Structures are given as structure tokens and as C-alpha cells.
Amino acid sequence: MQFWKYSTSVLATLLAVVSVSQAGGPTDGEAAADPNSAVVKLTSENFASFLEENPLVLTEFFAPWCGYCKILGPEFSKAADTLNESHPNIKLAQVDCTADEAICMEHEIKGYPTLKIVRDGDSKKAEDYQGPREHQGIVDYMIKQSLPAVQAPTSWEDLEKVIDEQTKPFVLQVNSAADEIFKKVANLKRKDFSFINVDKEFLKSLGTKLGQDLKKAQFLVVHPKQLTDAVLFDGKADVEKLSEWIDIETIPYFGDMDRDTYMSYMTSPLPIAYYFYKTPEQREAVAEAMGKLGRKYRSKLNIVGLDANLFGRHAEAINMNPEIVPLFAIQHIADNKKYGVNQTEHPDGPSVEVIEQFIEDYFNDKLTPIIKSEPLPTAEEIAANPVVKLVAHNYKDILDNLEKDIFVKYYAPWCGHCKKLAPVWEELAEVFGSNKGASGVIIADIDHTSNDVDVPYEIQGYPTLLLFPANGELDERTGLRKPIVFEGARDLSTLIDFVKEKGSLNVDGNELKAKLEEEKESAVVEEEKEAEKEAEAKVEHDEL
Ligand SMILES: *[C@@H]1O[C@H](CO)[C@@H](O)[C@H](O)[C@H]1NC(C)=O
Ligand SMILES: *[C@@H]1O[C@H](CO)[C@@H](O)[C@H](O)[C@H]1NC(C)=O
């Protein structure tokens, strides 16, 4: 999970860099379109109403100072004028983000210029404009956008050609003319899929080609090269239902997870089954069987292939050994549980039969999740270390002790700041007598890279210091207390004050520390007396 989160943020950073680099740069005309042109100036006053009144609007979000906006300005004006003459239904509009910040914030505009295509007033579902940025290019792209998103071939030959040319899953409507719902959905998703209306005349030939009786069919999702596995839509369609159904049914039965597809898998509510392979031959050997399983478990489980050469780290993140490949594992994202086919028993990869059984066992709750954990500390280790050592196997037991303020350091062995903090943390634990049952405060730590544990907080770096206050409110997802994050200076006195202030028990570490020092001092005095006595005895002895 961590790996994917990281990748997402990398992607976000990349996108941000691209946008920022478009700001500034060379300059030309004015960013704001010529007021005499057909470009419509949108403000918070007219934004919503204008978009609702016009079926297709290319909207530019800009800032007057941005260099690339200045280059685009005149081209945008010219394109608007040309379209105003030839295709008056296509509008070009501009929002000045420095004047109408609210609109731009609401639409999460991250760089200038940003161009979005808004259909039927639904600005929240706007697509990014991905066409050229000069006059004729804009005109051509927008005219294409205005063409129907639904294709309706007029001969069987044309229809068959369109079907055979598809390289991605596509959507058919049969037994009726393309209706408003189908057209709306097609418009929303025209970038991702082909939408084809099939004339009644061709129904029989199509039925033969797909190996299905289509008399009662309405909508179908067809996967290329798997024509006879077309899926039929059930029930009454509305835009939402049909869109959702298409989203699910167009996921390949056995797709590959890669940069382009991982977000859709990771955000899907379904568990993910991974088949890691190292060579194309290994993937090919199971592809057909996996496709069948994918079809069987559609809407229950997404089955994906992953290239272990590229995504070995992800195998580690789900507690599998990326060196023993092929491997098969299932991850339930919502509760972050991982299950894997035993790699010791299947060093050459599990057979299809083993995988099939494994999936069945998964759905029958017969599998135990793999939990990465260091071994439990021994009694000697517990006695010797004032810091309570947490591992996955004791984590919940210890944190479930609601009577104590528990302060946990999540660390990674390679982290320099963690190493620097270690002696201070130990001192803190000593102050509270943390490893002795009587203490109200437990000072604990956990190597977060070696133990699979739930944290009711998104850890972004190490060390992360979280205080679970006694009898604190419970977090719904993890069942643990909602922690208080320590963000102060990592020195002993600041940490002690934090425990006193934020802990429910308000234990005063300074008092404990003073007492401890006193005891130490008197121990030292005792020791000195002992030493003196010994020395005297020795002297006496020497004299003998
Ligand atoms: C847009 O076209 C209409 C109709 O031809 C015309 O009356 C109008 O002046 C044009 N607008 C601009 C700004 O050119
Ligand atoms: C995997 O199988 C081996 C051999 O049967 C066994 O010793 C080991 O405990 C198993 N591993 C897990 C995690 O169940």
C-alpha cells in the first residue's frame, strides 16, 4: 500500500512540475482574449448558467501574467471566431483565475493555462483538452469533439470492420436507436471507449459473430479477442448505472497492472489478486486460464499480472519474496490484509489448479493472512530494555491497554533521525519506568519496516511519534485509539512536557525524573561509602 501511495504522490509531483513549467516562458500577445472576439468571458456570475446553456464549451483557465497563456490568447480568439462562423454550437470561454479564484479552486486548477472541455454544463466532469494550441488545431479538435460519440455503421461490413479494429473493450447498444442515456454516457467516456449503435438489420449477423442470442440484449461490453464472452447489461439503465457497469465490465479479466492502470485497481473496492511473472512466457502460459478466472470472479476480485522485474518492491510490500516467481497473492486493500500461495511449497510458481483452489479458499474465509513480524521479545529482553518493544504479534495487545498513556516511536532502521533520537527515547522510557507494570505511561517503539501493523494515522516519514492517550476515542478503521501526533523538538524535556500535557493521566515526568536522580545520587553516596569501607579494609589488609 505504501508503495502505491508513494507512486501516486510521485505522479502528482510530476504533473505539478509539468504545469509549473508551462507557466512563465516566452511571451507574445495578451493572455485575455480580444474582447471583440467570440471568446466568452466567464465570471462567477455567469459561469454556471453559460455552461448549462451551451452543450459544448472549451474553457480556458488562465492568469494574465502567464507566458504560455499570452501565446495562446490570440490563437484562442481566432479559433473562437472561426468556430462562431462554422459551428456556432461550439463555444470557447475563458476564466481569469486571478479575478475569479473561487471557480479555479473549485475545479482544482493547478497550472496555467488549463483547458477543459465541458459538456452539458457538467463542469465537474470536464475532460482535459488534449489537442493542439494553435488556431486551426483547436478548431479541428473541437469539431471532432462535437461529432457524435456514438458510431452507427450503416452496413454489416462496416460494423464488422469497426468491431474487429477495436483494441480495447468497447460498448454496443442493440435493439434500439442510440437513446439519450447511451449518448450521454458515450460523451462522458468517449476518450476511453468506443460506443457503437447496432442497427436492427445487423442483429442476426452480430449474434452469430458473438455466439449469443441478442434478442433481449440492450447494452453489451465486448472484449477484443474474447468476442464470445460479451457481457450483457441487466435491468433498467440510467446514466449513473450504465457508467458504473461499463467501468466494471471493461476492466480486463486478466489485465496488467502498470503505471497507467494501477490507480483504477487501487481505488477499486475489490480485492486484487496478483500474478507476478518474470518473463512474457510465464505470463502467456497462464493468461487464458487467468482470463477465465477473472470472468468467473468479475465484480468480486480483480486479477492482474505484474512484471516482477519492474514491481518487485510491490511483492515485498505484500509480504512475498519477489525472487521466487511466478507467485500468486491476494491483497484486500480496505483492511490491508495479504494472502499468498506458500512460496516454499511452490518454488516454481503455483499451478492454475492451486491458484483456483486458493481463490476459492479466500472467498470461503479459509486462509490466514500473512503478517510480517519480528519475533516477540524474550523475558530477558523485556527486563533489560526500558523501551517497550512492539512487534506485529504483540502490537494490538499492548495498544489495547486503554488504562495507559502509550507513546510510540515508529521508526525505520536506516533512518538517521531515528538513531539520533534513540538514546533520548530510552532516557524517556527510564523516567517513566515504562517496562515496569506499575507505570501509567508506556514508552514504546516499533520497527515499522519489519512489522505489519495498522496505524490510525498516515505516516509520512520516520520517526513518527504518536501518543495514544488513556481511554482515548477509538478510530473506526483500526479499532485503536486516535493518536496525538508529537511535532515538537525531540529533546527529553519537551517530550516529558508533551506526555504531561497531552496524556490523559497527566503523569509528571519531571517529578519522576527528580526522584530518579535523587535515588541515583543516594545510590552513588552508598556506593562511595562502600568504596571507602573497602578501601579502608584494603589498607588494613595491606598493612598486614
Ligand atoms: C458570431 O456569429 C454571429 C452570427 O454569424 C455574428 O452575428 C456575431 O457577430 C459573431 N460574433 C463574433 C464575436 O464574431
Ligand atoms: C510454507 O510451507 C512450508 C513447508 O510446508 C512450511 O514450513 C511453512 O511454515 C509454510 N509457510 C507459511 C507462511 O505458512
Side-chain angles (χ1 to χ4, degrees):
M1 186 98 181
Q2 211 53 37
F3 169 61
W4 296 111
K5 232 179 235 154
Y6 168 75
S7 307
T8 318
S9 70
V10 165
L11 200 67
T13 316
L14 272 179
L15 292 176
V17 167
V18 170
S19 314
V20 168
S21 67
Q22 287 179 356
T27 58
D28 204 356
E30 289 287 329
D34 179 350
N36 294 320
S37 77
V39 174
V40 180
K41 186 177 170 200
L42 296 183
T43 64
S44 38
E45 310 274 272
N46 65 350
F47 183 79
S49 60
F50 178 80
L51 293 177
E52 259 159 44
E53 284 157 17
N54 292 281
L56 180 62
V57 182
L58 174 61
T59 308
E60 182 199 350
F61 299 87
F62 77 100
W65 45 259
C66 128
Y68 283 93
C69 304
K70 290 181 188 173
I71 299 177
L72 178 60
E75 300 292 326
F76 204 67
S77 299
K78 265 195 262 174
D81 288 344
T82 304
L83 286 168
N84 181 44
E85 293 210 348
S86 65
H87 293 76
N89 282 338
I90 306 174
K91 301 288 185 202
L92 266 52
Q94 274 189 328
V95 179
D96 179 348
C97 287
T98 62
D100 280 280
E101 245 174 89
I103 301 178
C104 298
M105 295 240 297
E106 203 183 321
H107 291 83
E108 296 175 9
I109 303 303
K110 297 204 175 74
Y112 307 124
T114 294
L115 292 146
K116 287 185 182 284
I117 297 171
V118 184
R119 290 174 200 278
D120 302 319
D122 198 348
S123 63
K124 289 287 165 54
K125 284 197 177 145
E127 298 154 35
D128 290 329
Y129 171 88
Q130 287 168 335
R133 298 204 170 182
E134 44 69 40
H135 161 222
Q136 195 57 46
I138 297 171
V139 169
D140 293 345
Y141 188 89
M142 287 312 293
I143 291 175
K144 225 187 217 163
Q145 290 292 313
S146 73
L147 298 176
V150 177
Q151 304 178 56
T154 51
S155 72
W156 167 248
E157 287 69 35
D158 284 352
L159 176 61
E160 191 165 36
K161 185 158 167 266
V162 169
I163 290 176
D164 291 339
E165 272 171 358
Q166 300 299 320
T167 55
K168 291 204 291 185
F170 56 98
V171 191
L172 300 177
Q173 181 178 35
V174 295
N175 280 319
S176 63
D179 60 16
E180 284 311 309
I181 293 173
F182 193 61
K183 283 187 202 159
K184 269 221 170 97
V185 174
N187 260 330
L188 287 172
K189 298 182 178 297
R190 63 192 293 151
K191 184 165 104 272
D192 303 318
F193 308 111
S194 296
F195 290 80
I196 304 160
N197 181 262
V198 178
D199 195 286
K200 274 206 175 78
E201 230 186 295
F202 315 134
L203 201 62
K204 230 177 138 205
S205 312
L206 182 67
T208 310
K209 188 172 176 77
L210 302 187
Q212 287 208 45
D213 178 7
L214 300 176
K215 257 190 241 118
K216 290 206 180 114
Q218 194 182 1
F219 305 105
L220 297 100
V221 163
V222 186
H223 290 250
K225 294 197 196 144
Q226 286 172 291
L227 298 184
T228 54
D229 281 338
V231 195
L232 270 57
F233 179 83
D234 261 340
K236 199 168 152 35
D238 59 36
V239 171
E240 199 117 307
K241 270 196 203 128
L242 192 59
S243 296
E244 239 170 61
W245 176 77
I246 290 170
D247 283 344
I248 293 175
E249 294 300 344
T250 47
I251 295 176
Y253 296 127
F254 179 54
D256 252 42
M257 188 182 258
D258 54 30
R259 277 183 65 89
D260 293 333
T261 58
Y262 74 72
M263 275 314 289
S264 64
Y265 285 115
M266 296 313 279
T267 52
S268 154
L270 302 186
I272 306 174
Y274 304 97
Y275 187 85
F276 280 82
Y277 56 88
K278 274 217 161 132
T279 64
E281 291 75 28
Q282 286 173 347
R283 186 192 191 286
E284 199 47 44
V286 297
E288 200 185 325
M290 288 294 165
K292 282 210 179 108
L293 284 173
R295 171 119 211 247
K296 178 171 169 193
Y297 288 100
R298 175 60 98 201
S299 304
K300 292 201 187 109
L301 179 71
N302 285 326
I303 305 182
V304 300
L306 262 110
D307 184 340
N309 302 304
L310 302 175
F311 295 104
R313 272 185 64 188
H314 190 56
E316 281 173 5
I318 57 170
N319 300 338
M320 301 297 282
N321 182 348
E323 296 309 317
I324 307 176
V325 169
L327 69 82
F328 187 84
I330 296 178
Q331 180 181 21
H332 193 264
I333 304 283
D335 61 12
N336 201 19
K337 289 223 165 71
K338 300 131 187 175
Y339 309 83
V341 172
N342 189 320
Q343 291 181 285
T344 317
E345 288 173 3
H346 301 279
D348 300 320
S351 66
V352 169
E353 290 72 33
V354 167
I355 289 172
E356 216 170 336
Q357 186 62 46
F358 189 78
I359 297 176
E360 220 175 295
D361 289 348
Y362 171 76
F363 283 108
N364 291 328
D365 271 336
K366 282 195 191 156
L367 302 179
T368 13
I370 333 164
I371 293 170
K372 187 160 64 172
S373 180
E374 291 176 284
L376 285 165
T378 62
E380 289 80 41
E381 282 166 339
I382 291 173
N385 187 358
V387 178
V388 172
K389 183 178 169 68
L390 301 180
V391 299
H393 293 320
N394 69 7
Y395 180 78
K396 204 143 188 332
D397 284 346
I398 292 176
L399 283 189
D400 276 349
N401 186 345
L402 298 181
E403 287 166 14
K404 310 221 176 197
D405 287 328
I406 306 181
F407 201 8
V408 183
K409 176 181 82 175
Y410 295 84
Y411 72 94
W414 40 258
C415 130
H417 288 297
C418 304
K419 282 183 195 139
K420 219 172 123 201
L421 175 62
V424 181
W425 201 249
E426 198 165 308
E427 236 179 303
L428 183 71
E430 214 168 302
V431 164
F432 288 105
S434 153
N435 58 336
K436 306 192 175 81
S439 170
V441 178
I442 294 180
I443 304 296
D445 68 6
I446 182 163
D447 176 352
H448 198 212
T449 63
S450 306
N451 296 284
D452 237 354
V453 295
D454 275 334
V455 187
Y457 173 77
E458 191 175 325
I459 290 188
Q460 311 227 337
Y462 298 114
T464 289
L465 308 178
L466 301 180
L467 174 66
F468 298 86
N471 300 310
E473 191 191 337
L474 295 185
D475 169 69
E476 214 169 278
R477 181 179 66 83
T478 58
L480 299 170
R481 280 165 275 178
K482 289 184 181 164
I484 302 167
V485 188
F486 177 86
E487 288 170 320
R490 299 191 194 116
D491 58 62
L492 186 59
S493 92
T494 311
L495 289 164
I496 286 177
D497 290 347
F498 180 78
V499 172
K500 179 166 179 231
E501 259 172 51
K502 305 288 182 181
S504 301
L505 307 177
N506 306 112
V507 178
D508 188 343
N510 283 316
E511 275 174 20
L512 295 175
K513 186 166 164 247
K515 224 188 267 170
L516 203 67
E517 273 161 10
E518 235 169 67
E519 278 170 24
K520 265 194 193 157
E521 237 162 68
S522 60
V524 169
V525 172
E526 286 295 315
E527 254 171 49
E528 277 170 3
K529 274 188 199 156
E530 286 289 315
E532 258 168 48
K533 259 190 219 163
E534 253 172 49
E536 275 167 28
K538 210 172 175 198
V539 172
E540 278 165 22
H541 201 156
D542 276 351
E543 276 178 348
L544 276 179

